[in-house]
Amino acid sequence: QWSEKFYSKQNVAYSTYSNQYENTVQVDGDTSFFGAQALGNSVNDLTIRSDYMLNINRHNKLSFGLHYKGLTSLNVEEIISESGDFSNELDDYGQALAGYAQYDLELSEKFSISSGLRMVNYRPFKTNYFEPRLSATYRFSPNFSSKIAWGRYNQFIRQFDVVNGLGLANNYWVVS
């Protein structure tokens, strides 16, 4: 807390996720067959945030900050069969650097509005994304309120399903 009205928060976070599926098929009898498939997926996420809040007065608040996100995903597929072996690897990386500003206005004890703009630069696309936001909150009582919000958001990681030869679906994440 820098002063009575101005404070900041810094945050560093790292998370990882991984999964692996293995399928083996072996048929004995008149015709013998052996096949194995291994699918692996991992995602790493590094987030660094620096947020600042200025309480202008009791009814007005300004927030702003910078956010960095580094994402990596690795997808590996290996197939072993009598007809030959196959291996495939997809390694992706993305970085998002975002700056934002938000203004909160309390019009009465029951009604408040918030508006903001976030700008994100995402690589490898080298593209800027503008993400405006607007919300309004009405407090019916201290324990019950209603909020309406609109905004534009972008997500730079996607989950998809891979269906194997047996018809089973496996979930994977890949960086955009």
Side-chain angles (χ1 to χ4, degrees):
Q1 184 151 350
W2 301 99
S3 72
E4 193 174 294
K5 295 184 174 194
F6 184 65
Y7 62 98
S8 64
K9 295 188 304 185
Q10 281 66 44
N11 185 353
V12 176
Y14 179 79
S15 64
T16 185
Y17 166 82
S18 66
N19 66 16
Q20 188 166 353
Y21 297 97
E22 294 182 14
N23 302 312
T24 304
V25 177
Q26 184 168 350
V27 178
D28 292 322
D30 293 342
T31 316
S32 293
F33 174 78
F34 172 80
Q37 178 186 38
L39 301 171
N41 175 232
S42 65
V43 176
N44 297 306
D45 178 341
L46 171 66
T47 302
I48 302 171
R49 298 176 57 125
S50 187
D51 299 301
Y52 300 88
M53 284 67 65
L54 175 62
N55 292 318
I56 300 167
N57 58 39
R58 194 177 133 222
H59 303 289
N60 296 277
K61 182 172 85 172
L62 179 64
S63 305
F64 55 94
L66 292 171
H67 298 170
Y68 168 83
K69 181 176 283 288
L71 294 168
T72 61
S73 66
L74 175 63
N75 293 288
V76 177
E77 177 182 25
E78 295 177 350
I79 298 174
I80 300 169
S81 70
E82 294 172 344
S83 59
D85 297 345
F86 171 79
S87 180
N88 188 24
E89 185 174 296
L90 178 62
D91 188 6
D92 287 313
Y93 181 76
Q95 290 181 314
L97 180 61
Y100 77 94
Q102 179 175 308
Y103 178 67
D104 299 318
L105 174 62
E106 185 179 292
L107 295 170
S108 71
E109 288 184 20
K110 293 188 175 226
F111 185 67
S112 62
I113 58 173
S114 177
S115 64
L117 179 64
R118 179 179 166 97
M119 197 282 294
V120 181
N121 179 272
Y122 181 71
R123 295 181 183 273
F125 300 155
K126 298 180 183 175
T127 303
N128 292 322
Y129 297 89
F130 293 95
E131 301 176 338
R133 285 117 196 254
L134 183 63
S135 68
T137 303
Y138 187 81
R139 285 174 282 293
F140 294 98
S141 71
N143 298 323
F144 182 71
S145 66
S146 180
K147 182 177 186 177
I148 185 169
W150 171 86
R152 179 174 290 179
Y153 301 85
N154 291 284
Q155 180 172 310
F156 302 107
I157 189 165
R158 182 180 188 285
Q159 184 181 36
F160 64 96
D161 295 330
V162 174
V163 179
N164 66 20
L166 300 174
L168 302 173
N170 301 318
N171 297 323
Y172 290 92
W173 292 93
V174 65
V175 174
S176 298

